[in-house]
């Protein structure tokens, strides 16, 4: 990355690289993984200038944090580390509960610190909302971790605009993490404007539509244990219908390749659209695409220098109208179902 694009400020003074790395793909939720290749990919990400590394205690039931600990062992000072708590279970086998009570927040943080092999977490997210516990109670417990020096900044994942306001009144929130992409735009109705108003940064997860927007995913490519089988828009029929979204992204990539003399890919177009949305909606946006392969990191970084025209943005904006199926089997699991 060039020097002028090195840093982006989210909320509460947290500064990170303009593109992050989502660690979930390095555990077997989209199929089997090679731990050695995963660690090599992580090192390549940091070598390439991606310092914002995102994980969660639920990914691989702690295995993902232990993998990232191997990166941190020698490179902790080069990384802004984010992890999450709250989901009990395993994304591959199914979730059993969501907890946000005071005792669990402290317990989860200690366990993550131990697995990560670090004294402090740069950004600690509430992964999902425990609807049995007032959000102010959960955030107050998180704030206690900041006061204890175990956490530097607080984040929330998949909250509504109202929940964000309540939480931010207890302690400054640095970032909201939710699914946001060309085919998942529900957060733009309420959550994104509220984040912009409060000065909270936005961290889109699955910015490439869990790989779908790259144009490389079809029904016959999803393995038996692939987590995406649980998502309605990846169901039989819906996945084929959603190829219309990919077609729009691919058309813009082809047009850019012809007009700029460089090979623009669908993944780069999807990420460039998110950066453009951040500018249009006036908030800091740092996507966290995940990958198992080092060359995909280099490809994703190419989006930082890709400029989309107004006409191309119009094409991509309209693609969401063709989406078939929800982004979650349980609408209350994400902010979309509680707004």
């Amino acid at each position: 990355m060039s020097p002028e694009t090195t840093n982006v400020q989210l909320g509460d003074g947290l500064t990170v690289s303009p593109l992050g790395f989502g660690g979930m793909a390095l555990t077997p939720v989209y199929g089997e993984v090679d731990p050695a290749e995963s660690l090599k990919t992580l090192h390549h990400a940091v070598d390439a200038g991606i310092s914002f590394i995102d994980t969660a205690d639920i990914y691989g039931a702690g295995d993902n944090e232990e993998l990232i600990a191997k990166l941190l062992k020698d490179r902790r000072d080069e990384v802004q580390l984010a992890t999450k708590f709250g989901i009990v279970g395993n994304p591959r086998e199914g979730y059993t509960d969501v907890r946000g009570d005071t005792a669990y927040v402290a317990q989860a943080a200690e366990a993550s610190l131990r697995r990560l092999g670090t004294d402090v977490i740069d950004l600690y997210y509430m992964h999902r909302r425990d609807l049995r516990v007032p959000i102010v109670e959960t955030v107050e417990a998180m704030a206690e971790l900041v006061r204890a020096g175990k956490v530097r900044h607080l984040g929330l994942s998949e909250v509504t605009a109202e929940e964000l306001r309540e939480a931010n009144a207890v302690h400054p929130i640095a970032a909201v993490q939710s699914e946001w992409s060309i085919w998942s735009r529900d957060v733009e109705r309420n959550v994104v404007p509220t984040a912009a108003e409060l000065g909270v940064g936005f961290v889109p997860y699955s910015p490439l539509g869990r790989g779908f927007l790259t144009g490389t995913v079809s029904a016959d490519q999803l393995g038996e244990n692939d987590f995406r089988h649980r998502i309605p828009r990846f169901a039989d029929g819906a996945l084929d219908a959603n190829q219309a979204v990919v077609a729009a992204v691919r058309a813009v990539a082809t047009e850019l390749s012809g007009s700029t003399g460089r090979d623009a890919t669908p993944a780069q177009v999807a990420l460039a659209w998110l950066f453009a949305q951040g500018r249009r909606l006036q908030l800091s946006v740092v996507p966290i695409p995940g990958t198992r392969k080092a060359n995909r990191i280099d490809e994703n970084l190419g989006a930082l220098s890709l400029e989309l025209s107004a006409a191309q943005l119009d094409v991509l904006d309209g693609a969401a109208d063709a989406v078939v199926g929800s982004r979650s089997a349980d609408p209350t699991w994400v902010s979309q179902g509680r707004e």
Side-chain angles (χ1 to χ4, degrees), residues 285-305:
V285 173
V286 180
I288 49 169
T291 181
R292 305 173 195 171
K293 299 179 180 179
N295 65 317
R296 292 295 187 191
I297 290 171
D298 298 330
E299 177 186 348
N300 292 339
L301 284 168
L304 291 168
S305 58

Side-chain angles (χ1 to χ4, degrees), residues 4 26 39 61 77 86 115 140 164 175-176 222 250 260 286 294 332:
E4 64 270 21
L26 300 181
L39 183 58
D77 292 343
R115 284 189 294 264
E140 179 54 41
L164 174 57
V176 168
L222 300 183
R250 187 180 285 117
T260 64
V286 180
T332 64

Side-chain angles (χ1 to χ4, degrees), residues 128-207:
R128 288 295 188 275
R129 170 79 197 282
D130 182 348
L131 297 177
R132 302 163 299 191
V133 177
I135 194 168
V136 294
E137 177 182 327
T138 303
V139 176
E140 179 54 41
M142 296 167 70
E144 182 58 35
L145 296 171
V146 176
R147 291 189 285 269
K150 297 177 181 180
V151 168
R152 292 194 172 106
H153 302 276
L154 303 184
L156 305 169
S157 181
E158 290 293 359
V159 290
T160 66
E162 181 180 353
E163 290 164 349
L164 174 57
R165 287 188 188 280
E166 290 183 48
N168 196 64
V170 175
H171 187 280
I173 301 300
V176 168
Q177 183 177 136
S178 288
E179 183 171 355
W180 187 16
S181 69
I182 287 170
W183 77 339
S184 294
R185 300 187 59 185
D186 52 279
V187 292
E188 293 178 17
R189 287 195 297 270
N190 298 308
V191 185
V192 165
T194 301
E197 175 192 335
L198 297 175
V200 176
F202 214 96
V203 177
Y205 73 78
S206 298

Side-chain angles (χ1 to χ4, degrees), residues 202-217:
F202 214 96
V203 177
Y205 73 78
S206 298
L208 302 179
R210 301 188 186 277
F212 186 72
L213 298 177
T214 67
T216 62
V217 177

Side-chain angles (χ1 to χ4, degrees), residues 59-79:
Y59 300 161
D63 289 350
N64 199 272
E65 290 183 326
E66 291 178 352
L67 172 68
I68 289 172
K70 296 177 181 179
L71 170 77
L72 300 177
K73 183 177 179 181
D74 300 315
R75 310 190 73 167
R76 181 64 184 93
D77 292 343
E78 299 176 67
V79 169

